[in-house]
Structures are given as structure tokens and as C-alpha cells.
Amino acid sequence: MNFRKNPAIRISGKECTAGWEAVSKRLIKHLESLQIGPITIAIECYQGVRLAEIKEDLTDALNPDVVINPEDYLYEEQKIRQITQDDVTDDRIFGRITQLEMKDLVDPDKVESIRKRLRNGDSRLTVVMGPGASLIPEKVDILVYADMARWEIQQRMRNNEVNNIGIQNKQEGIEDKYKRGFFVDWRICDKLKKQIFENIDFVLDTNKKGQPTFIDKETYDFALQQTIQQPFSVVPFFDPGPWGGQWMREVCNLDDGPENYAWCFNCVPEENSILYQFDNDVVMELPSLNVVFFHPEELLGEKVFQRFGDEFPIRFDFLDTIEGGNLSLQVHPSKEYIRDEFGLSYTQDESYYLMDVQGEAKVYLGLKNGIDPDVMVENLKHANNGGPGFDADQYVASWPARKHDHFLIPNGTVHCSGEGCMVLEISATPYIFTFKLWDWNRLGLDGKPRPINIDRGEKVIKWDRDDEWVPQNLINQFQKVDEGDGWVEEKTGLYETQFIETRRHRFSKAVPHKANGSVAVFNLVEGEQAMVSSPNDEFEPFIVNYAETFIIPASIREYEIAPTGNSRGKEIMTIKAYVRT
């Protein structure tokens, strides 16, 4: 298999600095070129950056007279916990999307003391480093932004390597650190990044320990502009789980390390990264979310941007239960519930597209006709409190699953993939808001029961979605909408209340596509290889291999997809998702 685990965007005509020694030398050379008096450098850091590495390998190499660290300007930990408590909450998993900003965590008395010290001192060079560093000096002469992809942050959290902002908690469990990151830290870092973006002088990538890369802002602006003018893929990441399978290990050329692979997040721009390869063959890794933040209209389309703002609304990921187990039985909240409880403007509607199946695979979707909701909830609670296991088949409808089936899952619908399924999950972006109802009496990979949310789940279940309604509305709702020479286009979903439209193309010759005002996300679901090309030569041909996901920015108005390589002359298939406008 030719699955690309590290797809990169080529940035021609530009070079990138690599290694701490080279980075520090470049920054020192820039310092010398300024030919001004006392200089202040702010190294603004996203949460999760290893501050000790920055200090030891960069700050110390600059030989500053004064170094100001986060503890010098942030509130004390107890105060930060008080300020953020309403958003962090006492819930094990869920909080509220914060409205706080970085300045709300900064102690104004400490800042005034620092500014007075700098005004009255004779420091030749001052370095302020950490989250919020750019807010502290009265004047910043050089602004370096140390960025970080959220998936790498999560790995550091799991390994107890990093703290949350202003909190000495790296030894706490991953759930607490991730929740604080998701609902508070990442939000305030994103707000500040957007506020200071135009003032940044250099961008620093420290995703790989000891292997930093470094470019000036002009080069990064150029790279972002290149990104939204061509098809591209973000870097997929893979994770094991208690129900994980073996299909991805083979098809995606994965390591033998974990005993299974449950998830592949291959289009979740909030957490994925993008690789940029420069002329000197240095590869830089930066958050894909930056493309959404700084070129939202070109990437998403005008109407999509007006509706969702600078959020990427479509998510693709894999769920692998082949030689694995059932996913947890679950339900997603209604639009009203997710808005009122968590502060989000849209909810987690989704679907399962079957890439492959093994054995007597099935998908649980909807409820059995005539069940008593109160009895089902009572039995769920009893089972999760140590009683007899919950008999899902008594209450939940299940359906045989075949390769290329498409199961639509609007919010409020009880569902889960059974074992033996390789699912391409196509959904709206709010991705952690899953209310687990039953986890088949098993433990998570950490040896602890995973969180169950029956109290929340029972409030959002749509009990009328039963085994009479589901097959008429949610299973294989295929409709041929167009055809041409060597190709057929079918509408496969999603359900009428969902904002995502999905189209499947079966083709042995080139298929013409138009943007229709929305970003599009594709996966090659059948066939070895396809090529995306521009009829007007607006971008270089883009090669896609089986099971790879890729993004077409809305700024690309027309393009074609055709079989290529060993697939030339054969029928292959893509699934396409875009926002209904």
C-alpha cells in the first residue's frame, strides 16, 4: 500500500532554518541588524511548548541580561483555577468553551513591576517567554511565535511532559489536562495568536524535541497562501483504543507497536498539522488550524465562513473494528443542548461510510420499535452501576453492514459501529461531545472504566427513531444525480437536518467538479490511485492513494479527478463532503 503518513506541501523558492544552533545564530544576526538600543524579544508560546527547551537551547544562546518567565507575570495557580473554574467545571469530561482571553490570566501588578524594572534598568537584551509573553513588555522589538499542533500537545500531556497555562499539573491524569486545554487554554491561545499575527517576526516549530525549524513571517505568509491555492492533505494521526482493529495497520503501513489502532484522524484541522517542505529539504510542521484562521474565506468559501466563522466545519476520521470490538453505544446532543450546556453553535451530526467489512459485520442505529424508554434508561443505569450487562440487542436496532454502505447519524440517534467494520466517519467538527450510554462492560486502555453519560444522553435521545423509521431515512439513501462519459455521481447523504452534503463518484475517466461555494473534503474509497488536476493549470497535479483524505479549498473553482497509475482505465470511487449553501 502507498498510503502517505507524512504528506507535505512543497514551498518553492523558500528555505527554512533547522536546528537550535542555526536558529539562534539567525536570530542573533537579526538582532545585530536592528542597530537600536535596548532590545526586547517576546517568544510567545502556544500551550504545550516545552519552555525548558526554549530557555536552554534558544534563550540562553542569546545571552540576555534579563529573562522573564510565565511565573513572573501570570497570576498564582490558585487564582487561575478560580478564574477558569466556570469553564473547566467539575465534570470529568465536559466543560464550557471559554470567553476568557490571555490577558485575564495575567497579573497587572506583576506586569507593572516588570515594566518599571525594564524602564529603570540598563538591560541590553531582555527576553520574555511563555504563553502571554507578547502582552508583557511596553514595547516588543522582535516577536517570535512558538507554535504547536494540538495532537503533539496531547502526546506530551499523556507523557506528563507539560503543564496547562499557569497550572503545575503535568502529573495529573490526561482527562484533566485535555479538558483544560480544550475548553480554556487552546481557546485563549488561539485568540491571542489571531490578535498578534500581523506583528509576528518569526515562526518557530518545536513539535519534534531537539529538532526545531524556523522561518520569518513573510515566508510563512507565502506558505499559507500556497496552501489555499492547491489540494492538500493534513498529517493523519493514529491512536489505539479498547475496541481497535487491525485493518489500518496493514492498509496505512503502521508500526507494529500498539496492539491495535482504533482511530485515524485524517481531517480534523483543529488538531492536525501541515508539513511544509522547503527548497533546502527542511520540513516544518505547523497547525493546520492556522490556514483556517488566516485564510478562512479562501479556504471555506464566503457563505461557509459567514455561517461558521474561522472554524473548519467538516471532519473525516477512521474507526477500525476489524478484528476488534464494538464501539461504545452512544448518542450526540441536540443543537440546543450543545449550545446551552457547552457554548457551541452547532452539534456533532455524523455518518458512517463503510470502507470495508469482515464477517457478519453490523451497525447499531436507532431503537427497537415499541421499547419503553424508562425501562431502557433504568437498565442502562443498573448495568453501569455493577448490575447485569445491558442487552443492547433488546433495545437497539442493528443492521447488516456491507462495503460502501452509508449510515446517516443525525444528532439524537442512538448508534455505534459493531465489530468487523472499517468506518470512514464523516461528520460535523464538534468531536468530543459523545454521550456514552454503554461500553460493553470493558475498561479503557488505562485500566479504568471510560466515562458514561446516561444522565445527559437520555435528555437528547430521539425515541421515535426506531427500526421502522431508520431504514427509510438513514440507511443507503443513494440517489443518482448526474452522469457523464465514464462517471456517475450519487447523493448519499447526509440527513435533511444535517448541513453536510455527501456525494459519491464512480468513475473510470476524469470527473469534473466545481466548488459550489464550499470547501470540499474527499477520500479515495475504492481504487489504488487518483489524480486531481486543474483544467486551467492553476495548481500542480495532486496524487491521491487509496484511503487518503484530502481537502479542496473553495478558492479552487474547477478541478478534475481521474484514475491514474495502476488505476488507469479501472473504475474507482471517491466520497466527497461539502457544506450545503
Side-chain angles (χ1 to χ4, degrees):
M1 297 291 183
N2 296 315
F3 186 91
R4 294 176 301 166
K5 292 178 288 186
N6 295 292
I9 297 174
R10 186 82 191 187
I11 305 300
S12 299
K14 302 288 183 178
E15 294 190 351
C16 178
T17 302
W20 282 119
E21 183 178 357
V23 169
S24 59
K25 285 182 177 178
R26 182 173 177 185
L27 198 49
I28 289 169
K29 184 177 180 180
H30 181 72
L31 278 170
E32 294 172 346
S33 72
L34 293 181
Q35 297 182 344
I36 59 176
I39 293 176
T40 299
I41 300 176
I43 306 177
E44 181 66 53
C45 298
Y46 205 86
Q47 186 271 325
V49 169
R50 293 186 182 95
L51 299 180
E53 183 180 6
I54 298 280
K55 183 179 186 306
E56 179 179 345
D57 294 314
L58 180 57
T59 302
D60 288 354
L62 299 175
N63 193 28
D65 300 304
V66 176
V67 177
I68 297 169
N69 297 299
E71 58 269 25
D72 298 323
Y73 57 81
L74 293 176
Y75 280 121
E76 300 301 316
E77 178 172 332
Q78 183 178 1
K79 176 76 169 180
I80 289 178
R81 287 187 181 272
Q82 291 173 348
I83 292 170
T84 57
Q85 177 56 32
D86 287 347
D87 298 318
V88 175
T89 77
D90 293 323
D91 191 284
R92 179 178 170 185
I93 297 297
F94 301 114
R96 285 189 62 86
I97 300 296
T98 192
Q99 299 302 310
L100 295 170
E101 297 187 21
M102 187 73 74
K103 63 182 178 60
D104 297 314
L105 306 187
V106 172
D107 186 331
D109 293 334
K110 288 184 177 181
V111 172
E112 180 54 35
S113 177
I114 290 169
R115 291 179 175 179
K116 183 177 180 180
R117 174 187 173 191
L118 295 180
R119 283 196 300 266
N120 298 334
D122 57 358
S123 171
R124 172 190 56 85
L125 176 61
T126 299
V127 175
V128 189
M129 53 172 287
S134 60
L135 302 176
I136 307 311
E138 291 178 292
K139 177 177 69 75
V140 174
D141 299 295
I142 301 174
L143 177 54
V144 177
Y145 196 96
D147 217 342
M148 179 63 48
R150 292 184 188 174
W151 176 240
E152 173 59 24
I153 297 172
Q154 291 175 61
Q155 304 316 298
R156 296 180 183 188
M157 287 177 169
R158 291 178 182 181
N159 294 329
N160 298 329
E161 296 178 19
V162 295
N163 296 307
N164 288 105
I165 296 176
I167 308 292
Q168 297 300 310
N169 65 341
K170 65 182 178 182
Q171 298 300 324
E172 292 181 8
I174 178 64
E175 289 177 352
D176 294 331
K177 289 179 287 193
Y178 178 82
K179 181 176 69 166
R180 182 173 285 275
F182 184 91
F183 288 99
V184 178
D185 290 357
W186 301 342
R187 309 299 164 177
I188 65 177
C189 284
D190 290 341
K191 289 177 186 177
L192 182 57
K193 183 193 294 187
K194 287 185 278 189
Q195 290 166 4
I196 67 173
F197 187 73
E198 293 304 320
N199 298 322
I200 292 171
D201 296 296
F202 296 96
V203 177
L204 175 65
D205 155 35
T206 62
N207 280 279
K208 292 181 172 57
K209 188 174 183 179
Q211 302 177 52
T213 57
F214 189 73
I215 54 176
D216 57 51
K217 175 63 161 36
E218 181 181 355
T219 299
Y220 191 37
D221 286 338
F222 181 79
L224 290 173
Q225 187 66 40
Q226 292 298 300
T227 304
I228 52 93
Q229 293 175 350
Q230 61 183 300
F232 67 95
S233 294
V234 298
V235 180
F237 58 87
F238 300 83
D239 218 17
W243 42 263
Q246 302 300 322
W247 189 91
M248 289 191 295
R249 189 189 303 278
E250 177 181 354
V251 172
C252 302
N253 304 314
L254 303 181
D255 297 336
D256 292 334
E259 66 179 56
N260 68 60
Y261 287 97
W263 293 275
C264 168
F265 298 93
N266 43 14
C267 181
V268 188
E270 277 200 8
E271 300 203 358
N272 291 107
S273 57
I274 292 179
L275 299 180
Y276 294 104
Q277 184 172 7
F278 293 87
D279 276 357
N280 57 343
D281 287 330
V282 173
V283 176
M284 188 174 201
E285 182 174 3
L286 291 167
S288 53
L289 191 55
N290 289 351
V291 185
V292 189
F293 284 162
F294 304 119
H295 289 277
E297 193 164 325
E298 301 100 313
L299 176 65
L300 304 177
E302 181 182 4
K303 291 182 179 179
V304 177
F305 174 52
Q306 289 176 352
R307 180 174 178 181
F308 294 99
D310 56 3
E311 293 187 21
F312 196 95
I314 302 170
R315 179 189 69 163
F316 274 35
D317 62 87
F318 285 150
L319 310 171
D320 183 357
T321 69
I322 289 181
E323 299 181 38
N326 297 337
L327 271 67
S328 62
L329 193 66
Q330 58 194 245
V331 67
H332 299 302
S334 65
K335 296 176 183 177
E336 296 76 19
Y337 192 93
I338 202 169
R339 180 194 63 218
D340 295 343
E341 292 293 315
F342 308 123
L344 273 78
S345 59
Y346 61 108
T347 192
Q348 189 170 333
D349 288 313
E350 62 187 30
S351 70
Y352 289 168
Y353 187 90
L354 273 294
M355 299 284 293
D356 208 349
V357 297
Q358 182 184 73
E360 297 181 1
K362 63 181 179 182
V363 168
Y364 288 91
L365 186 63
L367 302 166
K368 293 286 185 71
N369 186 30
I371 65 163
D372 186 325
D374 293 334
V375 173
M376 175 177 158
V377 170
E378 181 181 350
N379 286 345
L380 279 168
K381 292 180 177 179
H382 190 48
N384 283 295
N385 288 324
F390 178 72
D391 185 359
D393 290 300
Q394 181 180 345
Y395 296 96
V396 185
S398 63
W399 312 92
R402 299 164 299 178
K403 187 175 183 178
H404 297 305
D405 281 349
H406 199 178
F407 297 87
L408 314 181
I409 312 173
N411 68 80
T413 310
V414 175
H415 67 281
C416 77
S417 170
E419 64 180 275
C421 294
M422 182 60 210
V423 172
L424 169 61
E425 189 174 44
I426 303 172
S427 70
T429 293
Y431 53 96
I432 73 165
F433 299 94
T434 296
F435 300 154
K436 295 183 180 68
L437 305 173
W438 173 239
D439 205 19
W440 311 97
N441 208 22
R442 67 188 167 203
L443 301 177
L445 295 183
D446 59 0
K448 302 175 183 178
R450 299 199 296 167
I452 300 296
N453 287 279
I454 298 170
D455 290 341
R456 292 186 186 275
E458 67 174 310
K459 295 175 182 176
V460 299
I461 292 174
K462 291 186 167 55
W463 298 97
D464 57 346
R465 292 188 178 160
D466 58 22
D467 51 10
E468 292 184 2
W469 186 87
V470 164
Q472 298 176 34
N473 293 275
L474 303 184
I475 300 176
N476 292 339
Q477 300 298 300
F478 300 151
Q479 177 186 353
K480 185 166 76 172
V481 293
D482 202 359
E483 61 182 323
D485 182 18
W487 59 270
V488 174
E489 179 180 2
E490 300 168 294
K491 177 180 177 179
T492 72
L494 297 183
Y495 184 60
E496 59 186 21
T497 61
Q498 299 174 273
F499 65 78
I500 294 174
E501 179 88 0
T502 52
R503 298 290 178 93
R504 183 171 65 188
H505 290 84
R506 294 185 286 112
F507 55 103
S508 57
K509 297 182 179 180
V511 183
H513 290 265
K514 292 188 177 181
N516 298 322
S518 169
V519 65
V521 183
F522 284 81
N523 188 280
L524 182 60
V525 297
E526 187 68 49
E528 188 172 328
Q529 199 170 71
M531 181 174 68
V532 188
S533 61
S534 167
N536 303 315
D537 295 323
E538 293 179 353
F539 56 83
E540 294 292 323
F542 182 79
I543 301 298
V544 183
N545 299 305
Y546 175 60
E548 291 180 356
T549 294
F550 60 100
I551 297 168
I552 304 286
S555 61
I556 300 175
R557 304 298 183 186
E558 296 182 47
Y559 51 98
E560 295 180 345
I561 305 179
T564 194
N566 291 335
S567 293
R568 197 182 303 273
K570 300 177 183 177
E571 183 174 88
I572 64 176
M573 297 169 60
T574 58
I575 190 79
K576 172 185 182 180
Y578 59 92
V579 176
R580 293 167 176 157
T581 57

